Amino acid sequence: MARLKEHIFLTGFMGVGKTSTSRALSRMLGVKETDTDAMIVEKEGCQISEIFDKKGEAYFRSLETGILDDIKNMKPCIVSCGGGMVMRSENVRKIKETGKVVLLSASPETIYLHVKDSTNRPLLNGNMNIPYIKKLMDERMPKYLDAADVVIVTDGLNPKEVADKIVETYLKYIPK
């Protein structure tokens, strides 16, 4: 069982594989993993799509910021972040205070294959197509890159292979 010195935050566009990679990395290192979206769902008692519908995106983004305060008080672990987490500079600041940021990246075509059957993606409802996904990814990419300590392209890789790349990159942060 490894002991992390700080959190490892997995960021990136929705459907890139943050949650499945987080689980694989958690098993590999024997450390806890958590998912910011799941924490919000538990705290609010309803699905993210409901939060968006009833209270709006701004309210949801505030919940994300609050969740980072909860994570700050946790033992270092693997954190799978919602796709928009790093859009707020306040969130990036809080993340950087407690960990390293791994940006998982994939092509719009790969993202589409991962999300096309999902009804749980409020920002894609009514826009489930590659051109819209590419447009949204292009808008977010500068903030993703600014927040990232390292970028890992996940196209063609399974979650374990992505986790292997993360371990290779962050070996110095994972004491033996």
Side-chain angles (χ1 to χ4, degrees):
M1 176 177 283
R3 272 183 45 101
L4 297 178
K5 293 180 181 177
E6 57 190 347
H7 295 300
I8 296 177
F9 290 90
L10 303 183
T11 64
F13 198 76
M14 63 186 100
V16 76
K18 297 179 299 285
T19 300
S20 53
T21 298
S22 173
R23 288 183 185 131
L25 190 56
S26 169
R27 282 191 300 272
M28 189 179 291
L29 297 177
V31 298
K32 183 180 178 207
E33 61 97 15
T34 192
D35 182 298
T36 61
D37 284 349
M39 290 174 74
I40 289 170
V41 166
E42 184 177 325
K43 196 172 205 172
E44 291 292 298
C46 62
Q47 294 301 311
I48 291 170
S49 54
E50 283 182 72
I51 296 168
F52 267 73
D53 289 345
K54 293 179 180 172
K55 298 185 178 179
E57 184 177 358
Y59 178 80
F60 175 76
R61 298 299 171 204
S62 294
L63 292 173
E64 285 183 319
T65 302
I67 285 296
L68 290 174
D69 293 329
D70 296 341
I71 290 169
K72 184 178 185 175
N73 297 318
M74 295 167 60
K75 285 184 181 172
C77 65
I78 312 303
V79 182
S80 175
C81 296
M85 179 67 80
V86 298
M87 295 302 105
R88 278 188 171 184
S89 57
E90 178 183 5
N91 292 354
V92 174
R93 181 184 53 75
K94 288 180 178 208
I95 287 170
K96 294 282 194 177
E97 287 172 357
T98 61
K100 297 292 180 202
V101 179
V102 176
L103 170 60
L104 302 183
S105 181
S107 70
E109 293 78 10
T110 296
I111 299 293
Y112 176 74
L113 288 174
H114 292 178
V115 302
K116 65 183 169 70
D117 298 322
S118 175
T119 56
N120 246 2
R121 311 280 179 177
L123 294 179
L124 294 181
N125 287 348
N127 293 298
M128 192 63 77
N129 59 71
I130 293 170
Y132 184 78
I133 290 169
K134 181 182 181 336
K135 175 184 173 292
L136 198 51
M137 286 176 74
D138 288 347
E139 289 169 5
R140 289 180 168 199
M141 195 52 70
K143 292 206 182 238
Y144 285 147
L145 291 172
D146 282 347
D149 292 303
V150 68
V151 179
I152 295 179
V153 178
T154 65
D155 293 302
L157 300 177
N158 66 43
K160 187 194 176 308
E161 292 167 329
V162 176
D164 286 338
K165 284 184 171 252
I166 294 168
V167 169
E168 288 169 22
T169 303
Y170 283 105
L171 222 46
K172 62 186 171 212
Y173 300 106
I174 305 168
K176 298 194 187 257

